[in-house]
């Protein structure tokens, strides 16, 4: 661990606090965007009520994508102020924000498991924040990134991460062809199936906004639960239960790994852009800058396909915990293995950070169990 001058320590603490605040803002924005996207893609009519007007479902979905981009811009800025291990864990608080927004917008119930999972996630994040030391490098020159990439740990982690993402694409494509969410050309709002009856959906303005009043059983069912059932009935073929459970993890989990690739290459690219123009750094015309930028852009574009595919098929509160559980794992592993942040940690700090990661994953699992039940 490198000793730090008191003035440098104050500057580093301020930089770290700025990164945490920006990561929290990004987490809140991203959770809000996920709720908008799920609402738009699963609404049973083409015309979706949104704020004070009605718009086509894909127009509302695009609004969610724009909010998603703005939220990621906050997270991009955060990565310039702190280590990926810390900020990746802080970013997992989006699950807490998602629970709040889903309750406010989609009228999803707050269960004891969801609340307990959110509190557990916050405890895990606090452990990671407490154990993260000051002075961990947050910017790198192209030569330093090449050195990190040439390390066995860094190269192995990159290879494993990219292989899992690419393999999951083929698996999802095969599953989509076998069990498509197919709609007839003549009416894109009615499922192409005659063997299963459809539930009746209330209009958005017919849901009683006061959950404390006595309402019918149909109204007591949350909007998202009803929309999720409608989405599942679109496929004329139904997979076996074990396969459905496996793919319920593969879909959002692979999206999380893809976003993990985005975060790794985004941090590497931005740090090189900031440093490559400085005197003595050799300039920005370096092959590793081009490679990381291309991978970053490719993974970001792939995220758009993943978002539509995942949240058209799965409920937000079921998919989001798995997705950002994998994002958190990928970010922490990228920080410790690729960016070599583990070399700046004492043994107790590394132990507490790993414990915090496990606590966060436990909170995610608890919240998912509550959502599933």
């Amino acid at each position: 661990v490198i000793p730090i001058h008191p003035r440098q320590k104050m500057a580093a603490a301020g930089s770290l606090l700025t990164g945490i605040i920006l990561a929290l803002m990004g987490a809140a924005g991203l959770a809000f965007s996920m709720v908008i996207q799920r609402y738009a893609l699963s609404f049973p009519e083409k015309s979706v009520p949104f704020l004070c007007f009605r718009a086509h479902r894909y127009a509302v979905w695009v609004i969610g994508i724009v909010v998603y981009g703005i939220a990621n811009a906050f997270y991009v800025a955060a990565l310039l102020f702190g280590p990926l291990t810390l900020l990746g864990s802080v970013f997992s608080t989006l699950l807490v924000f998602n629970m709040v927004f889903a309750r406010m917008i989609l009228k999803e119930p707050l269960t004891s498991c969801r609340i307990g999972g959110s509190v557990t996630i916050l405890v895990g994040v606090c452990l990671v924040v407490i154990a993260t030391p000051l002075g961990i490098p947050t910017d790198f020159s192209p030569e330093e990134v090449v050195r990190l990439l040439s390390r066995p740990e860094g190269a192995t982690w990159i290879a494993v991460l990219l292989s899992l993402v690419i393999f999951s694409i083929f698996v999802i494509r095969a599953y989509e062809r076998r069990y498509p969410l197919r709609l007839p050309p003549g009416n894109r709002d009615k499922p192409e199936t005659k063997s299963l009856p459809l539930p009746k959906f209330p209009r958005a303005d017919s849901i009683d906004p006061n959950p404390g009043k006595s309402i019918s059983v149909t109204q007591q069912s949350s909007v998202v639960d009803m929309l999720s059932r409608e989405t599942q009935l679109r496929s004329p073929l139904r997979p076996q239960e074990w396969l459905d459970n496996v793919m319920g993890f593969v879909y959002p989990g692979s999206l999380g790994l893809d976003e993990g690739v985005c975060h790794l290459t985004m941090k590497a690219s931005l740090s090189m852009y900031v440093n490559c123009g400085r005197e003595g750094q050799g300039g920005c015309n370096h092959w590793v800058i081009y490679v990381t930028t291309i991978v970053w852009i490719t993974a970001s574009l792939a995220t758009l396909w993943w978002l539509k595919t995942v949240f058209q098929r799965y409920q937000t509160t079921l998919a989001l915990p798995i997705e950002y559980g994998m994002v958190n794992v990928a970010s922490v592993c990228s920080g410790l293995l690729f960016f070599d942040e583990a070399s700046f940690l004492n043994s107790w700090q590394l132990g507490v950070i790993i414990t915090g990661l496990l606590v966060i994953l436990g909170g995610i699992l608890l919240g998912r169990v509550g959502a599933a039940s």
Side-chain angles (χ1 to χ4, degrees), residues 15 40 59 66 69 116 144 164 167 205 224 242 260 265 281 284 299 307 315 322 326 333 347 349:
S15 178
V66 172
E144 289 171 330
L164 289 175
F167 177 73
D205 54 8
V224 167
W242 70 268
T265 54
Q281 294 296 332
C284 297
L307 288 171
Q315 187 175 330
I322 299 176
M326 296 306 296
C333 290
S347 56
Q349 291 172 328

Side-chain angles (χ1 to χ4, degrees), residues 205-353:
D205 54 8
S206 69
I207 302 295
D208 194 329
N210 186 359
K213 295 176 63 177
S214 176
I215 57 177
S216 66
V217 175
T218 302
Q219 289 175 317
Q220 288 176 356
S221 206
S222 71
V223 175
V224 167
D225 289 336
M226 292 183 288
L227 299 182
S228 181
R229 286 197 295 271
E230 189 269 343
T231 301
Q232 292 171 2
L233 290 174
R234 292 178 183 177
S235 175
L237 298 176
R238 299 299 297 271
Q240 297 182 16
E241 184 177 357
W242 70 268
L243 180 59
D244 189 40
N245 291 332
V246 170
M247 297 308 294
F249 178 85
V250 171
Y251 269 73
S254 60
L255 172 57
L257 292 178
D258 174 70
E259 291 179 281
V261 174
C262 289
H263 293 172
L264 191 158
T265 54
M266 178 171 58
K267 180 174 178 61
S269 300
L270 291 175
S271 64
M272 287 189 290
Y273 290 142
V274 170
N275 287 278
C276 65
R278 295 178 181 176
E279 185 178 356
Q281 294 296 332
C284 297
N285 188 18
H286 199 289
W287 66 267
V288 75
I289 296 180
Y290 299 127
V291 170
T292 55
T293 302
I294 290 173
V295 175
W296 173 21
I297 294 174
T298 303
S300 299
L301 293 176
T303 300
L304 299 178
W305 169 77
W306 248 298
L307 288 171
K308 182 178 183 297
T309 302
V310 172
F311 290 102
Q312 194 170 26
R313 186 178 286 265
Y314 294 103
Q315 187 175 330
T316 308
T317 48
L318 294 176
L320 207 62
I322 299 176
E323 175 190 352
Y324 278 92
M326 296 306 296
V327 171
N328 189 27
V329 170
S331 296
V332 171
C333 290
S334 295
L336 296 177
L337 298 176
F338 182 80
F339 291 106
D340 198 23
E341 295 173 2
S343 63
F344 295 87
L345 304 175
N346 291 321
S347 56
W348 74 267
Q349 291 172 328
L350 182 60
V352 172
I353 287 177

